Amino acid sequence: MRLNRTTSTLTYLVAFLSGTILSLSSTRGLSQGLSADNTSYPTDFFRPPLDLPPALAGSFGEIRGNHFHSGLDYRTNQREGYPVYAVADGYISRLRVQIGGFGNALYITHPNGFTSVYAHLQRFNDRITQTLRGFQYRKETYDVDFPLLPIEIPVKKGEIIAWSGNTGSSGGPHLHFEIRDTQTEETINPQLFGIDIPDKVKPQISGLVVYQLNGIPFNAGISKRSVAVSGSNGNYQASVPVIAINGETGFGIVTYDQQFNGGNKNGVYSIELELDGQVIYASALERFAFSNSRAINSHIDYPALLLSRSTIQKSFIEPGNPLGIYKKEVNRGIIHLSDDAVHEMRYTVKDVKGNSSTLEFRVKNDPNLLIKSKEPSGVKRFLYNSDNEFIAENIRLRIPKGLLYNDLNFTYSKASQSQGYSDRHTLHSRLTPLHSNFDLWIKPTKEIPAHLRNKALLMSTSGGASVGTYEDGYVKASPRAFGTYYIALDTIAPRITPLNISDDKRMTGIGRMSFKISDNLSGIQTFRGTIDGQWILMEYDLKTSTLWHTFDYRTAPGKHLLQLTVIDRQGNTKTYTASFYK
């Protein structure tokens, strides 16, 4: 038995590697899909991941909170349990169970240089589940993320690998599906691979915004005007016959796409802006690196999103924006007219199926136009292409190169407070996005007892907590956003609420035991359950804060002792113990 299995897996490995060489050498012989910059992708290699009529709840590159959507969200009729199929031959290269995020997810590496990803799954097939459970029990942890070798779980095109679900941070039952470049791990629009999503609806354009930049780095104080747009069925016009501008000017557009009239407002594929027939800006959501996805906050008008929930895609590029979605730009998409002529401008917006809409408008330089753009004076100039540091009484912060999308005049203020262990320090403005975490040190103004220093954290007045460490008289943490911060202590242990178990309860005929767990400040770090001292698999749903264990052969009839321990991110521990009978 062992010999036969080894022989078959070795045969598969040879075939897989041979297929890789063959596919890479003969890509030009395949049917190809072309991206915005003429990159070719095979269009006859992958099948759909579901056997349902394809309907999308979310498109590739769609604008989400702090990130671009990295795949296609397939609707599953508001229910779970539909078979999910391998879209091509390959092998399971990665299994992941995540608290939040993708939930239950798996990755299949294919012999043509691409990897398919399936997320929010309800459950895996038996062979995958067996491998997953073995790893979870060896590591004694529920949330896992581990690679597999090509010989471990090979799969064939059309094989059922899992069933659709609603795990992780999913907002409802659906299948999240991606295709990635195996080598770079960039995610690519699956529709470029011939995975068909019916769509005959042209993108809709509902707004035009004019920004008067005039040498000022983009910020919440930039003068901007919204221009009403009229039209339908792919043809749109600005409501103003000629838009007056003065000096350096950028533009933004409000647009979305629908698979069918009345459907979800999904993202568009490409945006192109012309001045007098010359393209001065072009973007296309063909592929992107996950490390740059947060730069969506530079791609959009971030202050408008926070202040009015408006999603405006800017058509000018900030100098610190690292996204690779920009296919062409002249002067970063910013125009500066010096004559008195009327100039023709045109937006062209497309979905990935090629349905196209245009917005035409005219602009004219007006030297008398009053410009109200301003930038805060600040206490120090921060440069986007340099490391930046600020030091004041009882506070230090460091913003490494690459975190700012543009230069800024950093503003700072502080206020005393009667509660807490420090002043409240206001760092610039929440309307300015950051690409990643920065380092922040705050010095207590009230002595923190030595035995409580490991409980210190930095709280934001917006409600978030950044886990801190006490060092050299300061509490250090790494927040991800500007705002107002102060020192607090987290000394309260998590809460455990049993739902269907109590001490000495008879659990005969009950398939699983369930709990609710929560924490007041720093958040749940980990949990661990044992029965009679032996680790058990506790599964967790972040959306409902529900923790449960499904009984199996490991729990024999008789009396048992359960111990459940939950630890928060500051090390506070809560333990629940109960005897029960099976």
Side-chain angles (χ1 to χ4, degrees):
M1 187 72 161
R2 179 184 300 272
L3 178 61
N4 291 339
R5 181 176 179 183
T6 302
T7 302
S8 64
T9 53
L10 286 175
T11 301
Y12 174 82
L13 179 58
V14 171
F16 182 85
L17 294 176
S18 299
T20 301
I21 296 171
L22 175 63
S23 66
L24 293 178
S25 63
S26 61
T27 297
R28 293 183 180 178
L30 298 174
S31 175
Q32 302 294 305
L34 291 179
S35 68
D37 56 4
N38 293 323
T39 301
S40 60
Y41 298 100
T43 57
D44 56 1
F45 192 83
F46 298 111
R47 58 150 287 162
L50 296 169
D51 275 346
L52 296 172
L56 294 186
S59 61
F60 180 87
E62 185 173 295
I63 294 173
R64 301 283 180 91
N66 292 319
H67 68 282
F68 290 102
H69 188 234
S70 58
L72 301 179
D73 281 350
Y74 282 88
R75 291 179 177 272
T76 56
N77 297 324
Q78 300 181 350
R79 50 162 283 197
E80 302 181 38
Y82 285 100
V84 176
Y85 301 92
V87 294
D89 291 359
Y91 71 95
I92 307 294
S93 54
R94 182 181 178 188
L95 282 174
R96 187 177 192 183
V97 175
Q98 188 178 16
I99 296 175
F102 275 1
N104 295 331
L106 64 80
Y107 300 65
I108 300 177
T109 295
H110 305 284
N112 64 342
F114 300 101
T115 296
S116 56
V117 182
Y118 315 74
H120 306 306
L121 302 169
Q122 180 193 65
R123 56 192 172 95
F124 305 106
N125 70 24
D126 289 343
R127 184 174 181 185
I128 297 171
T129 299
Q130 184 179 9
T131 300
L132 171 65
R133 292 290 183 258
F135 191 87
Q136 288 173 317
Y137 271 88
R138 285 197 303 275
K139 296 296 183 180
E140 296 191 353
T141 181
Y142 165 66
D143 50 316
V144 294
D145 185 359
F146 62 99
L148 289 86
L149 297 173
I151 61 173
E152 293 188 75
I153 310 181
V155 295
K156 302 298 290 182
K157 185 175 184 177
E159 179 181 342
I160 296 176
I161 52 175
W163 285 263
S164 66
N166 187 28
T167 56
S169 297
S170 169
H174 72 279
L175 172 68
H176 176 90
F177 174 74
E178 299 179 12
I179 296 179
R180 299 185 186 181
D181 183 309
T182 302
Q183 185 173 3
T184 67
E185 295 190 359
E186 289 181 311
T187 185
I188 308 169
N189 195 321
Q191 289 183 259
L192 296 174
F193 292 85
I195 294 180
D196 186 51
I197 308 293
D199 180 359
K200 296 183 179 180
V201 179
K202 296 179 179 181
Q204 306 221 17
I205 301 173
S206 58
L208 171 67
V209 181
V210 183
Y211 298 87
Q212 295 297 164
L213 302 170
N214 296 338
I216 298 175
F218 180 80
N219 69 90
I222 290 292
S223 176
K224 59 187 176 185
R225 290 167 288 156
S226 294
V227 178
V229 169
S230 62
S232 63
N233 195 32
N235 297 303
Y236 297 86
Q237 304 82 32
S239 61
V240 179
V242 179
I243 300 171
I245 61 175
N246 183 2
E248 291 186 331
T249 306
F251 299 90
I253 188 171
V254 181
T255 182
Y256 61 89
D257 186 48
Q258 291 178 304
Q259 183 185 350
F260 51 88
N261 289 320
N264 277 41
K265 294 182 178 180
N266 298 325
V268 300
Y269 176 64
S270 66
I271 299 175
E272 188 176 272
L273 179 61
E274 299 173 59
L275 171 64
D276 295 329
Q278 179 190 9
V279 176
I280 61 170
Y281 168 92
S283 65
L285 284 158
E286 171 200 347
R287 62 194 290 162
F288 62 84
F290 286 94
S291 60
N292 290 333
S293 187
R294 191 173 171 87
I296 191 173
N297 294 328
S298 177
H299 177 72
I300 64 172
D301 183 337
Y302 188 69
L305 178 68
L306 295 190
L307 295 174
S308 63
R309 309 311 300 171
S310 299
T311 302
I312 304 166
Q313 298 192 56
K314 298 181 326 203
S315 302
F316 55 95
I317 307 166
E318 295 186 86
N321 183 337
L323 287 169
I325 66 173
Y326 305 110
K327 305 305 178 182
K328 185 173 182 179
E329 53 86 14
V330 176
N331 193 32
R332 295 190 289 113
I334 299 170
I335 69 171
H336 190 172
L337 303 179
S338 57
D339 57 29
D340 59 359
V342 174
H343 295 265
E344 305 289 335
M345 300 199 71
R346 175 199 294 259
Y347 267 112
T348 301
V349 181
K350 296 181 181 180
D351 60 28
V352 74
K353 296 286 285 187
N355 300 304
S356 178
S357 296
T358 61
L359 165 61
E360 296 183 343
F361 58 102
R362 306 163 81 197
V363 296
K364 184 178 185 297
N365 178 47
D366 181 359
N368 298 317
L369 181 67
L370 180 63
I371 304 299
K372 298 180 181 179
S373 293
K374 61 181 180 179
E375 185 180 15
S377 56
V379 294
K380 188 173 182 179
R381 185 73 169 179
F382 281 4
L383 304 179
Y384 78 90
N385 58 355
S386 298
D387 294 334
N388 298 278
E389 188 175 45
F390 175 76
I391 301 175
E393 184 181 14
N394 297 332
I395 186 172
R396 294 164 44 203
L397 69 93
R398 181 174 60 209
I399 299 181
K401 177 182 177 180
L403 265 63
L404 297 175
Y405 302 117
N406 219 324
D407 296 342
L408 62 86
N409 289 332
F410 179 73
T411 61
Y412 167 76
S413 63
K414 73 174 180 178
S416 60
Q417 60 176 0
S418 58
Q419 297 179 341
Y421 286 82
S422 74
D423 295 326
R424 294 181 178 228
H425 300 267
T426 299
L427 314 177
H428 202 65
S429 167
R430 70 184 184 93
L431 301 179
T432 297
L434 294 169
H435 194 60
S436 188
N437 303 71
F438 66 98
D439 296 323
L440 176 62
W441 294 261
I442 295 180
K443 191 171 186 178
T445 53
K446 178 182 176 182
E447 180 66 22
I448 300 177
H451 70 285
L452 293 178
R453 288 175 181 173
N454 64 340
K455 305 300 182 185
L457 46 71
L458 296 187
M459 285 293 299
S460 168
T461 54
S462 64
S466 298
V467 173
T469 57
Y470 191 92
E471 56 181 53
D472 299 326
Y474 286 79
V475 176
K476 179 192 175 184
S478 297
R480 205 172 198 179
F482 288 133
T484 300
Y485 293 92
Y486 62 94
I487 297 174
L489 301 183
D490 182 0
T491 60
I492 300 175
R495 183 177 180 181
I496 301 175
T497 304
L499 298 180
N500 68 340
I501 186 172
S502 57
D503 198 30
D504 285 334
K505 182 173 180 178
R506 188 164 296 277
M507 302 289 287
T508 306
I510 298 176
R512 72 182 192 181
M513 53 183 172
S514 304
F515 306 83
K516 291 278 190 178
I517 60 174
S518 60
D519 188 66
N520 69 319
L521 275 184
S522 58
I524 303 294
Q525 173 69 31
T526 187
F527 48 82
R528 177 182 174 85
T530 63
I531 292 179
D532 302 329
Q534 299 298 309
W535 184 85
I536 58 172
L537 177 66
M538 303 291 299
E539 300 180 74
Y540 183 57
D541 179 16
L542 181 65
K543 294 188 290 290
T544 61
S545 300
T546 303
L547 185 70
W548 70 91
H549 168 69
T550 302
F551 293 113
D552 58 18
Y553 67 90
R554 296 174 180 86
T555 306
K559 185 176 183 179
H560 300 279
L561 178 64
L562 164 73
Q563 188 171 69
L564 172 62
T565 300
V566 181
I567 305 173
D568 70 17
R569 295 167 68 206
Q570 286 297 78
N572 299 300
T573 301
K574 180 72 172 182
T575 298
Y576 173 84
T577 302
S579 295
F580 68 94
Y581 295 87
K582 279 295 287 182

